[in-house]
Amino acid sequence: MLSRVAESIYWMGRQVERAENLARFIEVTLNMTLEQADYIVDPWEPLVQVTGDNEWFTAKYGKPDRQKVVQFLAFDEEYSNSMLSCLRAARENSRGVREVISTEAFRELNNFYHFVCESSTPQLTDDPTELFFEHVRNQTLMWSGVLETTMTHDLGWQFINLGRMLERADKTSRILDAKYFNLLPSVDDIGTAVDDLQWSTLLRAISGFEAYRREHHLVDVEKIVAFFLFHRSFPRSVYYCVAAADWSLREIEKTSGADHPGEAKQRISALRHRLKNTNVKEVIAGGMHDFIDRLQLELNAIGNSLGRDYFHNPGTS
């Protein structure tokens, strides 16, 4: 496979996953403001902080509010990581790899892009509804289903899966970090109904509320943090995503006939091993923000290593 094709299909997977996560963040925040409108702290600023692009937002929009954050995350064509920009980039990448993905997957992504593009009207930013972002999330699930059922799980599929899993691990950790620092009005609110509702909302943001409740009846901070970071079989936990990305990269190296593990494989295997051998008490005792900050740096380093191992080399990989 040409490195150009591998890079395009990898980023296509990441960009669709990023768009889905933005829709999830907005959907659950709209829901949260409806359920506790009288006493909640402003939930919109943490969403900007989740992106890591606070300075860019402030320079263009000033103080965050509902309309500005929805416009920024969903429809801003000048912001390269907005939902619309991600889908546009994913669609362009899919055009360059038509010979690798199925016709059904290409058509589904094209329809998805047009659905969001044609919906980006002032009405949605002035009075956004959960329903629109639920539709976006469902469109992503439909695209993922088409990929799973119409593509051979060959080298191309492994690069898509690698991109999706790394992006999902990053976004799961970011939403957990945002809660830990920003959403609770004061330490006096820890353990209150407000605290419980916010943790439940965050579980819904990763579609994990029902899965968590099947294992644990009560809201418990340690158990929720462990669910986000270390759950072995929930498909949006950080550990699951890193393990799935590690598996895809191992299959890519096997198919490519690599004689020894590349830099990216060594990094992702090391991260998987560290997550497997860390428990939630150690994370909280050492500072959860510091743990997540290191995790995100490691995920970024894996992405950079992939570029050196597969995408920037001339010829084929």
Side-chain angles (χ1 to χ4, degrees):
M1 175 178 285
L2 292 171
S3 59
R4 172 189 61 79
V5 173
E7 183 169 19
S8 293
I9 202 167
Y10 164 82
W11 277 109
M12 179 186 72
R14 284 202 77 145
Q15 287 152 347
V16 174
E17 183 71 29
R18 190 171 297 175
E20 182 197 358
N21 277 280
L22 292 173
R24 287 175 177 275
F25 294 168
I26 297 172
E27 180 188 356
V28 298
T29 304
L30 288 168
N31 180 268
M32 187 162 61
T33 57
L34 289 175
E35 290 185 351
Q36 46 180 335
D38 294 337
Y39 51 90
I40 193 176
V41 294
D42 182 0
W44 295 104
E45 185 171 358
L47 284 194
V48 177
Q49 294 176 351
V50 162
T51 67
D53 293 318
N54 315 35
E55 293 183 5
W56 195 99
F57 178 92
T58 303
K60 180 169 182 177
Y61 292 101
K63 185 176 175 55
D65 61 26
R66 183 179 66 172
Q67 286 77 17
K68 291 174 183 175
V69 174
V70 171
Q71 172 64 26
F72 168 65
L73 292 179
F75 304 119
D76 194 328
E77 298 189 41
E78 296 178 356
Y79 178 49
S80 61
N81 289 317
S82 73
M83 192 171 70
L84 182 58
S85 295
C86 286
L87 289 175
R88 177 174 293 135
R91 178 169 169 262
E92 287 305 310
N93 278 321
S94 72
R95 283 177 163 174
V97 295
R98 285 289 303 272
E99 74 278 13
V100 178
I101 64 174
S102 66
T103 299
E104 290 94 335
F106 175 79
R107 285 176 180 167
E108 194 62 41
L109 180 54
N110 197 44
N111 292 337
F112 184 13
Y113 166 73
H114 283 293
F115 166 73
V116 173
C117 194
E118 291 163 7
S119 302
S120 58
T121 63
Q123 183 179 359
L124 279 171
T125 52
D126 290 344
D127 187 20
T129 65
E130 302 165 59
L131 187 60
F132 169 75
F133 296 101
E134 183 182 346
H135 284 328
V136 172
R137 181 163 52 81
N138 289 337
Q139 287 272 355
T140 313
L141 295 175
M142 192 179 301
W143 183 72
S144 298
V146 170
L147 272 181
E148 294 295 323
T149 54
T150 63
M151 272 192 71
T152 303
H153 289 198
D154 57 7
L155 197 56
W157 184 90
Q158 296 293 358
F159 272 110
I160 296 175
N161 193 54
L162 179 60
R164 292 161 65 196
M165 292 299 107
L166 289 178
E167 183 68 26
R168 190 178 296 175
D170 177 80
K171 289 296 178 289
T172 295
S173 69
R174 286 179 185 274
I175 196 66
L176 180 61
D177 199 28
K179 160 62 185 174
Y180 187 71
F181 267 99
N182 301 296
L183 281 179
L184 210 60
S186 74
V187 292
D188 294 335
D189 293 301
I190 294 175
T192 64
V194 178
D195 193 28
D196 288 356
L197 183 58
Q198 290 183 350
W199 280 115
S200 299
T201 300
L202 290 193
L203 284 168
R204 288 190 176 93
I206 61 169
S207 295
F209 181 73
E210 293 178 348
Y212 173 85
R213 290 299 296 269
R214 287 191 194 99
E215 297 182 9
H216 311 288
H217 296 297
L218 299 176
V219 172
D220 180 282
V221 174
E222 281 193 5
K223 290 175 180 174
I224 292 176
V225 171
F227 187 88
F228 266 77
L229 294 177
F230 303 126
H231 201 285
R232 293 291 193 268
S233 55
F234 181 67
R236 305 194 81 86
S237 80
V238 172
Y239 177 83
Y240 182 96
C241 294
V242 169
D246 188 25
W247 173 74
S248 279
L249 195 48
R250 184 167 63 246
E251 293 300 308
I252 289 168
E253 291 200 337
K254 192 187 301 179
T255 305
S256 303
D259 296 329
H260 57 274
E263 180 184 339
K265 182 67 177 70
Q266 294 178 46
R267 286 184 181 277
I268 201 166
S269 294
L271 176 56
R272 180 180 183 177
H273 178 78
R274 186 168 75 84
L275 291 171
K276 187 176 181 179
N277 291 283
T278 305
N279 64 56
V280 67
K281 291 186 183 299
E282 292 171 336
V283 172
I284 293 176
M288 190 159 69
H289 176 70
D290 290 339
F291 179 87
I292 292 175
D293 197 37
R294 179 183 170 188
L295 170 66
Q296 290 172 353
L297 289 174
E298 289 176 275
L299 290 170
N300 289 339
I302 291 166
N304 293 334
S305 297
L306 283 171
R308 289 188 289 273
D309 289 350
Y310 291 98
F311 306 148
H312 297 160
N313 295 326
T316 60
S317 60

